[in-house]
Amino acid sequence: MGGQCPPTLSLLSLRPLRLCGLLYMTEQKTLPSKLVRNIREKSIELILFLAAFSSVATTVAILFILIKESLAFFTQISLWDFLTDTQWTPLFGDAHYGILPLLTGTLMTSMVALTVAIPMGTIAAIYLSEFASNTLREIVKPCLELLAAIPTVVYGYFALLFVSPLLQKVFPELSYFNMLSAGLVMGIMIIPFISSISEDAMRSVPLGLREGSYAMGATRLQTALKVVFPAGISGISAAYILATSRAVGETMIVAVAAGLQPKIVWHPFQQGATITAYIVQVSLGDLPHGTIEYQTIFAAGLTLVLMTLVLNIIGHFLAKHYREIY
Amino acid sequence: MAEELSDGVIFKPKAEVKNLNFYYGSVQALKNINLTVPEKQVTALIGPSGCGKTTLLRCFNRMHDLYPGNRYEGQILLERINILAPKVDPIEVRMRISMVFQKPNPFPKSIYENVAYGLRVRGENKRSLLDGKVEEALRGAALWNEVKDRLNDLALNLSGGQQQRLCIARALVVDPEIVLFDEPTSALDPIATASIEELMSDLKDKVTILIVTHSMQQAARFSDYTAFMYLGELLEFNKTETMFAKPSHKMTEDYISGRTG
Ligand SMILES: Nc1ncnc2c1ncn2[C@@H]1O[C@H](COP(=O)(O)OP(=O)(O)O)[C@@H](O)[C@H]1O
Ligand SMILES: [Mg+2]
């Protein structure tokens, strides 16, 4: 998603640009020749290119290492076993390498999180874009966005030490580590990802469409739900996809509060390890390079990257599809 | 109840604007407007750009209520009720008075749902009733034959002229008493413009039409009455033939003959 890339890109690219601007101003008096100007233009272009290229290069390098180590892993463990074995016990004597336990853990926590974040984020976005006054929006929006700025480890302990005990009062069968509270808290954390982007999408819906709806006698709520929301759906679905990627990749909250025991999970009351939680867990110990245990990290990581990649591709096509029709 | 113009023209009034002032914040955009809109006739609002035509039109369906700081003074009477009164719900007003905008603004929905919108907003969801009303409105807007086989297609795939006729169908489906048009052909090519003008002449048997136009020819071609506005004031109102043949105001004459505006 574009959302994460631009800040770094602009930081990288703006600074050289400003420096070159200064250079240009001081040199202009003495060297106004066309050749010098051309060289300057070209070098700025090169710097900009390198800035953009560095992010591409990093992505490629990460993918390269992931794939290389994963390939080593799959020479020993068949892809079939990886996808169908129901146990994940690479560190035990009786080692099994089935990704399903971690995958179900990841999907379960993500699902709980999205069940919270999508409705809450969408409602917040509709409220901010269609109902709130400008002053109220100026106050509420930064507060909402602060939710995403809290360190995730804080959320993790909030889930473990506050939300879980609270939920246990209602559901005594809830285990100490559980995916429900981790997912709920993660859902709160990703609300601003959805509300911010969805609000932007809805606010950029042309005024003429809103007026067309009001002119037919529609109320504000009808206009928001029947016209503005569908008109902004491409941006809104992009927000949902981004939030899903964020949920799938979230690490600290689940590592702290959801548990670390990889078992296939069916119910959010259970404890369960996610792909990310497994990766931090084993990375904390020191595994010798080149061992199969070491390579499991990369196989799990590649699975995660592929999931996010698929989500991003879906998001890209959704956005493109809606841009075409609207 | 009948209204008589200075030279003896008699018509039945549909709405009466009385001493209307309108303010965008502290800026006064309309100054003491008095106008009687004849029933089931086409009344054109003309005048140079920025003279307040759109502002006046949008008073009729209380569109100005959507934005903070706007203020009305005076009255617009619709069957003896002042629709500008603060206790009157703007939504009630918009249920009786439809509007077609300058730029076609179909919703990102199917052709069918675009037309059915006004009915759905009023809580009407019975399919058989909607089907009939949608067809009737599309026929009324001279669009039925072009779209009857693809009612479920997205409205945004229609051409500009078709989109505007769709917006007219959308405005007609709720059987409005008055339809407001704000330069409905200014974004369209000459052929689409001609078809919309023809459509509007047909409509006036059924509904009262108030139309803002910047084109003298358009006003002359199919309006029955014309009001000339200048700098927020309404300078002259008369039958269109009379107005164009012997305008009583010097400003009107200059504008009609193309010397201003
Ligand atoms: N939203 C607004 N806020 C402030 N002034 C406005 C606004 N809309 C229009 N005006 C002003 O009111 C006057 C009348 O505008 P308008 O009714 O759009 O004219 P017309 O439709 O005849 O071209 C103009 O001077 C315009 O600048
Ligand atoms: Mg105008």
Side-chain angles (χ1 to χ4, degrees):
Chain A
M1 287 289 100
Q4 297 145 327
C5 196
T8 38
L9 244 185
S10 60
L11 266 184
L12 280 173
S13 51
L14 271 182
R15 210 170 301 144
L17 199 69
R18 211 175 297 143
L19 280 180
C20 295
L22 280 176
L23 232 95
Y24 183 78
M25 272 158 54
T26 48
E27 279 179 25
Q28 199 175 26
K29 290 173 208 128
T30 48
L31 289 168
S33 88
K34 197 177 166 195
L35 178 73
V36 172
R37 203 164 53 234
N38 275 344
I39 292 174
R40 222 179 273 133
E41 284 288 314
K42 285 282 175 240
S43 51
I44 292 175
E45 206 181 304
L46 184 72
I47 292 169
L48 292 178
F49 171 77
L50 286 177
F53 181 74
S54 64
S55 65
V56 176
T58 314
T59 312
V60 170
I62 290 175
L63 274 178
F64 174 76
I65 294 171
L66 272 178
I67 291 171
K68 180 173 157 273
E69 297 287 340
S70 299
L71 280 180
F73 173 83
F74 284 115
T75 54
Q76 300 176 61
I77 312 300
S78 78
L79 186 61
W80 177 252
D81 284 347
F82 182 69
L83 293 177
T84 56
D85 196 326
T86 56
Q87 287 184 60
W88 178 262
T89 52
L91 306 178
F92 292 3
D94 174 28
H96 284 270
Y97 302 93
I99 194 72
L100 281 176
L102 299 181
L103 201 60
T104 53
T106 294
L107 292 178
M108 183 65 78
T109 49
S110 302
M111 234 159 60
V112 174
L114 293 172
T115 312
V116 175
I118 287 184
M120 299 269 285
T122 310
I123 291 170
I126 291 176
Y127 177 74
L128 287 178
S129 129
E130 303 302 307
F131 291 89
S133 68
N134 281 341
T135 23
L136 193 68
R137 187 185 314 119
E138 297 307 316
I139 299 168
V140 173
K141 223 184 154 182
C143 294
L144 253 180
E145 275 158 16
L146 215 59
L147 285 177
I150 297 171
T152 52
V153 66
V154 175
Y155 276 115
Y157 281 98
F158 177 67
L160 182 69
L161 303 177
F162 181 74
V163 178
S164 283
L166 206 68
L167 287 173
Q168 269 166 339
K169 294 209 173 90
V170 190
F171 310 107
E173 68 271 36
L174 197 68
S175 62
Y176 179 65
F177 294 108
N178 64 81
M179 291 177 296
L180 182 63
S181 59
L184 289 178
V185 169
M186 194 207 301
I188 291 168
M189 183 200 71
I190 57 181
I191 285 174
F193 286 84
I194 291 176
S195 65
S196 272
I197 300 173
S198 304
E199 191 218 329
D200 287 346
M202 287 194 277
R203 289 232 281 158
S204 62
V205 169
L207 207 60
L209 279 189
R210 285 194 183 79
E211 291 198 342
S213 168
Y214 286 121
M216 289 311 302
T219 62
R220 262 202 217 207
L221 188 63
Q222 286 170 328
T223 303
L225 297 182
K226 289 171 182 257
V227 172
V228 181
F229 183 85
I233 194 73
S234 78
I236 295 168
S237 52
Y240 293 172
I241 299 280
L242 176 66
T244 310
S245 306
R246 194 72 190 69
V248 166
E250 172 47 40
T251 308
M252 272 328 272
I253 300 177
V254 286
V256 170
L260 294 168
Q261 246 181 51
K263 266 199 210 117
I264 290 193
V265 290
W266 304 104
H267 199 285
F269 284 10
Q270 294 173 289
Q271 68 159 303
T274 63
I275 298 176
T276 50
Y278 170 76
I279 294 174
V280 271
Q281 182 200 4
V282 292
S283 317
L284 291 177
D286 50 353
L287 291 169
H289 280 222
T291 58
I292 181 90
E293 291 88 347
Y294 176 76
Q295 285 153 358
T296 57
I297 298 178
F298 294 91
L302 187 65
T303 313
L304 201 60
V305 168
L306 286 179
M307 281 170 76
T308 329
L309 192 69
V310 169
L311 284 172
N312 277 300
I313 291 172
I314 295 173
H316 178 78
F317 278 104
L318 275 180
K320 209 172 120 192
H321 174 70
Y322 283 110
R323 216 173 302 130
E324 269 164 19
I325 61 168
Y326 184 55
Chain B
M1 204 167 63
E3 186 87 357
E4 188 171 346
L5 290 178
S6 49
D7 44 3
V9 181
I10 293 174
F11 60 79
K12 186 160 181 279
K14 176 67 198 174
E16 277 179 90
V17 182
K18 287 193 165 166
N19 306 324
L20 175 66
N21 293 303
F22 180 81
Y23 304 84
Y24 288 113
S26 55
V27 182
Q28 183 167 13
L30 297 177
K31 292 170 194 151
N32 196 31
I33 305 281
N34 284 284
L35 168 70
T36 307
V37 181
E39 184 168 37
K40 296 199 175 153
Q41 301 285 319
V42 177
T43 302
L45 294 175
I46 63 169
S49 175
C51 68
K53 306 180 294 291
T54 299
T55 306
L56 176 57
L57 196 74
R58 288 162 67 97
C59 288
F60 279 84
N61 64 345
R62 300 269 302 261
M63 280 311 257
H64 298 301
D65 287 48
L66 295 175
Y67 307 99
N70 295 341
R71 190 159 54 87
Y72 315 88
E73 266 170 17
Q75 302 184 318
I76 295 180
L77 299 178
L78 188 67
E79 281 161 12
R80 286 187 297 278
I81 295 167
N82 175 20
I83 57 173
L84 295 184
K87 65 172 193 295
V88 171
D89 183 356
I91 290 176
E92 298 290 324
V93 177
R94 295 176 197 139
M95 297 253 175
R96 297 171 64 182
I97 302 181
S98 289
M99 183 166 199
V100 175
F101 294 78
Q102 195 163 356
K103 198 166 158 278
N105 57 352
F107 303 135
K109 297 176 180 293
S110 68
I111 293 170
Y112 184 96
E113 285 303 327
N114 260 278
V115 181
Y117 189 77
L119 299 169
R120 291 220 191 265
V121 157
R122 285 157 176 76
E124 185 56 72
N125 286 310
K126 205 149 34 77
R127 191 73 195 194
S128 55
L129 187 137
L130 290 185
D131 285 350
K133 287 270 189 188
V134 166
E135 176 174 346
E136 190 189 323
L138 282 169
R139 284 189 192 281
L143 192 59
W144 175 251
N145 287 329
E146 287 157 69
V147 301
K148 63 169 185 271
D149 301 321
R150 48 180 177 135
L151 291 175
N152 292 320
D153 281 14
L154 266 177
L156 304 154
N157 295 333
L158 297 172
S159 73
Q162 289 173 323
Q163 288 189 4
Q164 195 61 306
R165 275 180 283 150
L166 182 72
C167 293
I168 295 176
R170 186 173 77 189
L172 290 176
V173 80
V174 291
D175 298 321
E177 297 168 44
I178 304 178
V179 183
L180 310 169
F181 290 88
D182 190 357
E183 304 196 23
T185 59
S186 65
L188 303 180
D189 62 65
I191 295 172
T193 299
S195 77
I196 298 237
E197 284 183 9
E198 191 186 321
L199 168 61
M200 276 188 292
S201 328
D202 296 343
L203 284 180
K204 71 175 176 205
D205 298 334
K206 293 172 227 145
V207 61
T208 302
I209 291 180
L210 195 56
I211 175 173
V212 170
T213 173
H214 60 276
S215 148
M216 281 325 96
Q217 295 84 342
Q218 189 167 67
R221 267 197 301 270
F222 71 86
S223 72
D224 304 294
Y225 292 84
T226 299
F228 175 69
M229 294 182 68
Y230 191 75
L231 297 178
E233 291 181 75
L234 196 144
L235 288 193
E236 190 171 349
F237 174 70
N238 215 326
K239 279 205 77 98
T240 301
E241 304 102 76
T242 322
M243 171 96 87
F244 278 79
K246 47 173 180 52
S248 58
H249 213 286
K250 180 73 170 64
M251 291 306 311
T252 321
E253 191 181 340
D254 285 356
Y255 182 67
I256 290 171
S257 58
R259 257 168 285 168
T260 58

